[in-house]
Amino acid sequence: MLIIAQHGEIFIILACLFGFFMAWGVGANDVANAMGTSVGSKAITIKQAIVIAVIFEFLGAWLAGGEVTATIRGGMLDPVLLEANPELLVYGMLSALLAAAIWLMIASARGWPVSTTHSIVGAIVGFGAVGLGVEAVAWSRVGTIASSWIISPLLAGTIGFVLFKSVHHLIFENKDPFAAAKRYVPGYIFLVGFIVSMVTLTKGLTHVGLDLSFGESFMLSVLLGIAIMGLGIIMQRRVKYVQSASDHFGYANVERVFGVLMIFTACAMAFAHGSNDVANAVGPLAAVISVVRSDGVIDSAALVPWWVLVLGGAGIVVGLVTYGHKVIATVGTGITELTPSRGFAATLAAATTVVLASGTGLPISTTHTLVGAILGVGLARGMAALNLRVIGTIVMSWLITLPAGAGLAILFFFMFKGMFG
């Protein structure tokens, strides 16, 4: 208690700095999961991707980030075992932020799309098990989150497979694919708007004062979905059929219609990513602020201050703008050849999985989710469509992430303990 009273302001300043650094790492590495398919399929340029991500990543973090943030902050460690020494939780959370941020910086420089969720959870479990004792870690909670790392790519891959098959059946196998695309794509646009609106309204906005019932959220989501669909129809009408001798079936024109849809799925994925992955940066930061402001009382259910979510959103944006292009290249072109229709199926599948997880408070890995979705779309075309060498490299970088985060966190934990303890 005395240590927190003496150094409380320093702890909050360090937590804000490390939290922003961690959010920068999330933006630099993980935003590729939101934008990689759109850029890789050439539906949008890298500059357009950055503009979309800046707006929707920030909105997702600020509006819908509170639900998952509570899980990361209070779910990993048993708070009862820390009540006598709350300063150990502060050291640990500072260590976890710094360790995960440094690993993300290294991975981003190499162009590896690693999991920011793996990084921060591994760091928290590492300092908890070694610095506090194995019994301090809520292993059942860790097991639940670990299972989500398997479930989320399988779920996203299944949704991606089904979506791409539906597109292939309804549009590409039609006698007039271009007319079929004009007819069915507005329905897919409605689906994007409805899913993101529904999960955001039902789970994400209570901490900003908007508390709607399920029925109200459903009706409002339908209206928002219709409005977004209307906007999509207006944009779609600008796409004119272009005759080409090399494109006998008109598939290139269909892909141009899907290019319009990819703009909406890019926005949805950016929003979903911001809502889910801001927790990795501001969860530990919120824990430090809560402990310091309550003079050492550990409350796992403490509210996240609104400015903490804004800080996390800002860090994600800065990371994307300054360093995000390297990992976008790996995700967008490395795993499989993407077209706008394939990219749409993968992105919507991943966005659906991520916003569902964000709404239920389960911190899944966006990286695993998107790679799973891309693999599902690739498998719909056969194994030959996948670049197994790149996939192997990505999986190897995932395996390194957990021990790297844990090892660095243990090192920094004892460093902070020596400095302040």
Side-chain angles (χ1 to χ4, degrees):
M1 301 291 184
L2 184 63
I3 292 171
I4 288 175
Q6 284 179 332
H7 305 293
E9 293 302 316
I10 295 173
F11 289 147
I12 288 180
I13 291 168
L14 286 175
C16 288
L17 289 173
F18 296 165
F20 187 85
F21 184 21
M22 175 64 189
W24 177 92
V26 172
N29 194 284
D30 235 24
V31 173
N33 303 321
M35 294 292 113
T37 49
S38 304
V39 177
S41 65
K42 297 181 174 62
I44 57 176
T45 65
I46 187 81
K47 289 182 179 178
Q48 290 169 331
I50 287 172
V51 171
I52 289 171
V54 164
I55 296 167
F56 286 92
E57 289 275 345
F58 184 82
L59 286 174
W62 180 48
L63 294 175
E67 191 78 23
V68 178
T69 307
T71 304
I72 282 282
R73 189 177 69 251
M76 293 296 104
L77 304 174
D78 185 355
V80 176
L81 297 172
L82 290 161
E83 286 175 353
N85 301 102
E87 69 276 4
L88 296 181
L89 179 65
V90 174
Y91 302 154
M93 290 301 177
L94 290 175
S95 306
L97 283 172
L98 188 56
I102 288 174
W103 170 244
L104 287 175
M105 183 175 68
I106 294 168
S108 299
R110 305 283 298 182
W112 296 339
V114 299
S115 168
T116 54
T117 309
H118 266 195
S119 303
I120 198 70
V121 169
I124 291 173
V125 170
F127 92 78
V130 176
L132 309 176
V134 175
E135 70 280 359
V137 179
W139 292 106
S140 61
R141 184 65 189 144
V142 175
T144 303
I145 290 171
S147 68
S148 79
W149 297 334
I150 300 168
I151 293 166
S152 58
L154 284 176
L155 178 60
T158 303
I159 296 171
F161 184 92
V162 170
L163 276 171
F164 183 70
K165 282 293 188 184
S166 76
V167 169
H168 201 263
H169 176 71
L170 292 173
I171 296 172
F172 286 101
E173 292 180 356
N174 197 285
K175 289 180 180 178
D176 187 347
F178 184 68
K182 291 254 184 176
R183 184 163 61 249
Y184 290 114
V185 162
Y188 289 121
I189 294 175
F190 170 80
L191 197 61
V192 173
F194 173 77
I195 288 171
V196 177
S197 300
M198 187 64 189
V199 178
T200 303
L201 291 172
T202 51
K203 295 290 184 180
L205 299 181
T206 52
H207 69 282
V208 293
L210 188 62
D211 196 4
L212 301 172
S213 69
F214 182 85
E216 290 170 335
S217 298
F218 183 86
M219 291 305 297
L220 191 53
S221 297
V222 169
L223 292 173
L224 286 168
I226 291 170
I228 291 169
M229 181 176 70
L231 180 62
I233 291 170
I234 292 168
M235 293 174 67
Q236 191 179 280
R237 282 176 180 163
R238 298 178 182 175
V239 181
K240 302 299 180 187
Y241 191 91
V242 178
Q243 195 72 41
S244 172
S246 60
D247 183 28
H248 181 68
F249 297 104
Y251 290 160
N253 291 289
V254 174
E255 295 294 358
R256 287 169 59 231
V257 176
F258 272 98
V260 173
L261 181 52
M262 280 298 289
I263 296 170
F264 290 94
T265 52
C267 296
M269 190 60 194
F271 185 92
H273 179 267
S275 70
N276 189 74
D277 283 48
V278 70
N280 299 327
V282 304
L285 165 58
V288 173
I289 292 169
S290 174
V291 171
V292 171
R293 287 187 172 172
S294 60
D295 296 323
V297 177
I298 296 172
D299 181 8
S300 61
L303 287 172
V304 181
W306 66 268
W307 62 266
V308 169
L309 291 170
V310 171
L311 180 76
I316 287 175
V317 166
V318 173
L320 167 67
V321 172
T322 56
Y323 225 57
H325 60 278
K326 291 194 174 187
V327 183
I328 283 179
T330 303
V331 172
T333 58
I335 299 170
T336 189
E337 184 187 351
L338 291 174
T339 61
S341 59
R342 297 168 199 161
F344 149 73
T347 312
L348 182 57
T352 304
T353 307
V354 171
V355 291
L356 286 171
S358 180
T360 54
L362 186 65
I364 63 166
S365 164
T366 317
T367 305
H368 290 196
T369 302
L370 190 86
V371 170
I374 294 173
L375 286 174
V377 171
L379 282 172
R381 298 166 52 230
M383 281 294 290
L386 299 173
N387 188 331
L388 297 179
R389 186 182 61 80
V390 171
I391 293 167
T393 304
I394 291 171
V395 171
M396 281 300 297
S397 71
W398 290 357
L399 295 175
I400 298 167
T401 296
L402 265 174
L408 286 169
I410 292 165
L411 178 70
F412 292 135
F413 175 78
F414 287 111
M415 183 184 80
F416 287 125
K417 195 174 178 182
M419 287 167 61
F420 294 105

